[in-house]
Amino acid sequence: MIIVMKAHAPEKQVQRIIDELRGQNLQPMPLIGTERVVIAVIGDERILDVSHLSSLPGVSKVMPVLQPYKLASRETKWENTIIKIKDVEIGGDKIVMMVGPCSVESKKQIEESAAIIHKAGIRILRGGAFKPRTTPYSFQGLGEKGLKLLKQAAAPYNMIVVTEVMDPRDVPLISKYADILQIGARNMQNFNLLKEVGKTKKPILLKRGLSSTIKEFLLAAEYIMSEGNSEVILCERGIRTFETETRNTLDISVVPLLKELSHLPVVVDPSHATGKRTLVPAVSRAAIAAGADGLIVEMHPHPDEALSDGDQSITPDMLMPMMEEIKAITKAIGRSI
Ligand code: PEP
Ligand code: MN
């Protein structure tokens, strides 16, 4: 159930509803919009006295939410969620780019990466320090040393850093270094991890699971939000199908679909979606044309020497032309970069 307050209802009226709900052992989750507050109610809704609540001052209407994901649903919040980090907004008119290597490998490699992306006007640096590798014999990431290198490389440019957290026990450590916590595809349904990052105040980049449905994806976002963290960025990175020519299969219709179903920002990862660097620019253009709020792209200063995902990492030379193409698309759809 959601309680939609009247436009510009005073804080006192909102607080009264919150207190009443708490008094009934329900968990009120206020979602603050620019015009009005919507209070989502978590708990056994059957005990709600709808006609009483509807009559309280400041209440516009009390409505059921039909989707199982209540807080992530567009039914609960009409306006797009915009996540602000430093001087960057994710989910606003401007497209955001998150670029960098799959893994942080060395001081030199991540510093070179940061310099290249800075030159291209990109504000968010990606890089994994804890890597979810298919085989235990592959490079597993540099751990805390990698986090330090990532943060140090970003610092001279005041860049924002996104990196993956794989284990609930590592959330405090990674939060010390990262601005955005990434939940990888393999952990999309690691519910303990989702709850743990839901308790932080860091924006979460949630990747779609390898074989998850859109409903499961949005319910994973709901896990994070139900712990009090409403800053979730949905990341479509393709799913596993019978096709083997590309690493995964990217269904571009997921972008407008997620936008229809949810108010959360949506980004696309063309690197893991395709597994092939030559496909990355075209898929990036398609994602932006379809309405994505941004892209997370793997770029390596020397992809042939990469310790992970070299085949799908674009070269530095590919970055600027790709940015120019994306810029042209953003103009065509009334956005900017
Ligand atoms: C990554 O971003 O390097 C990664 C492992 O992505 P995914 O979880 O989407 O496979
Ligand atoms: Mn990768």
Side-chain angles (χ1 to χ4, degrees):
M1 208 68 88
I2 51 171
I3 298 156
V4 182
M5 301 302 291
K6 289 184 180 149
H8 310 293
E11 166 122 31
K12 216 172 72 193
Q13 294 180 343
V14 176
Q15 194 55 47
R16 172 163 180 200
I17 312 288
I18 291 175
D19 293 342
E20 285 226 9
L21 293 168
R22 287 211 180 111
Q24 293 180 55
N25 271 334
L26 292 161
Q27 193 194 346
M29 304 281 288
L31 294 146
I32 322 269
T34 46
E35 274 214 343
R36 62 181 83 231
V37 175
V38 173
I39 305 167
V41 186
I42 313 284
D44 185 359
E45 295 173 351
R46 289 169 303 179
I47 60 175
L48 268 186
D49 182 346
V50 175
S51 58
H52 165 65
L53 280 169
S54 309
S55 70
L56 292 177
V59 173
S60 166
K61 53 190 169 215
V62 181
M63 288 164 47
V65 178
L66 301 175
Q67 300 289 10
Y69 37 88
K70 313 282 177 201
L71 301 169
S73 172
R74 184 74 82 179
E75 291 172 281
T76 304
K77 188 167 177 263
W78 305 259
E79 302 158 14
N80 289 331
T81 285
I82 299 177
I83 299 175
K84 282 197 185 122
I85 315 167
K86 295 187 182 172
D87 54 332
V88 175
E89 285 189 351
I90 305 176
D93 284 341
K94 265 184 136 171
I95 300 298
V96 287
M97 297 291 289
M98 311 178 189
V99 182
C102 178
S103 305
V104 179
E105 298 168 1
S106 67
K107 185 166 163 21
K108 184 167 175 284
Q109 174 246 20
I110 196 66
E111 282 180 352
E112 263 182 69
S113 304
I116 294 161
I117 77 159
H118 171 69
K119 232 171 129 185
I122 293 161
R123 300 281 301 116
I124 308 182
L125 177 66
R126 66 148 286 153
F130 293 86
K131 295 304 301 178
R133 304 308 301 280
T134 303
T135 143
Y137 308 120
S138 297
F139 176 59
Q140 302 286 304
L142 295 179
E144 187 171 5
K145 186 181 162 208
L147 297 175
K148 280 189 183 149
L149 293 176
L150 183 65
K151 193 172 170 148
Q152 281 166 8
Y157 312 108
N158 192 27
M159 267 177 197
I160 292 159
V161 156
V162 55
T163 196
E164 177 163 356
V165 53
M166 294 207 301
D167 187 319
R169 292 168 297 186
D170 290 338
V171 171
L173 174 77
I174 293 172
S175 301
K176 260 177 37 191
Y177 297 97
D179 302 296
I180 305 173
L181 306 179
Q182 175 176 328
I183 301 293
R186 289 153 194 82
N187 270 317
M188 191 207 81
Q189 284 191 316
N190 181 339
F191 299 118
N192 287 334
L193 179 60
L194 298 177
K195 285 192 213 167
E196 209 54 39
V197 297
K199 292 187 189 116
T200 72
K201 299 215 179 319
K202 298 275 178 182
I204 310 299
L205 180 84
L206 176 67
K207 292 191 135 195
R208 182 178 177 189
L210 276 78
S211 62
S212 78
T213 63
I214 294 301
K215 192 177 277 174
E216 288 162 343
F217 187 19
L218 290 168
L219 282 168
E222 190 76 10
Y223 259 95
I224 299 168
M225 298 177 84
S226 66
E227 293 294 328
N229 187 350
S230 53
E231 302 206 311
V232 180
I233 305 154
L234 302 169
C235 177
E236 170 59 58
R237 42 80 75 209
I239 51 167
R240 182 161 291 181
T241 65
F242 55 81
E243 183 54 71
T244 55
E245 289 293 322
T246 49
R247 182 172 178 179
N248 287 292
T249 298
L250 178 76
D251 171 3
I252 208 78
S253 72
V254 163
V255 176
L257 177 63
L258 286 172
K259 285 273 164 200
E260 223 170 82
L261 296 174
S262 176
H263 53 87
L264 296 171
V266 176
V267 304
V268 168
D269 173 346
S271 310
H272 293 86
T274 61
K276 212 167 167 239
R277 92 170 58 95
T278 54
L279 305 181
V280 169
V283 171
S284 298
R285 298 196 299 270
I288 299 304
D293 297 301
L295 299 168
I296 179 162
V297 178
E298 287 184 342
M299 192 264 333
H300 194 290
H302 311 282
D304 297 339
E305 294 163 20
L307 297 181
S308 61
D309 288 350
D311 291 349
Q312 67 193 34
S313 299
I314 59 166
T315 60
D317 288 351
M318 292 170 76
L319 188 58
M320 278 314 286
M322 194 175 115
M323 290 294 284
E324 287 305 315
E325 291 166 5
I326 293 170
K327 201 173 181 177
I329 304 273
T330 60
K331 267 201 194 126
I333 57 172
R335 297 182 82 167
S336 62
I337 185 164

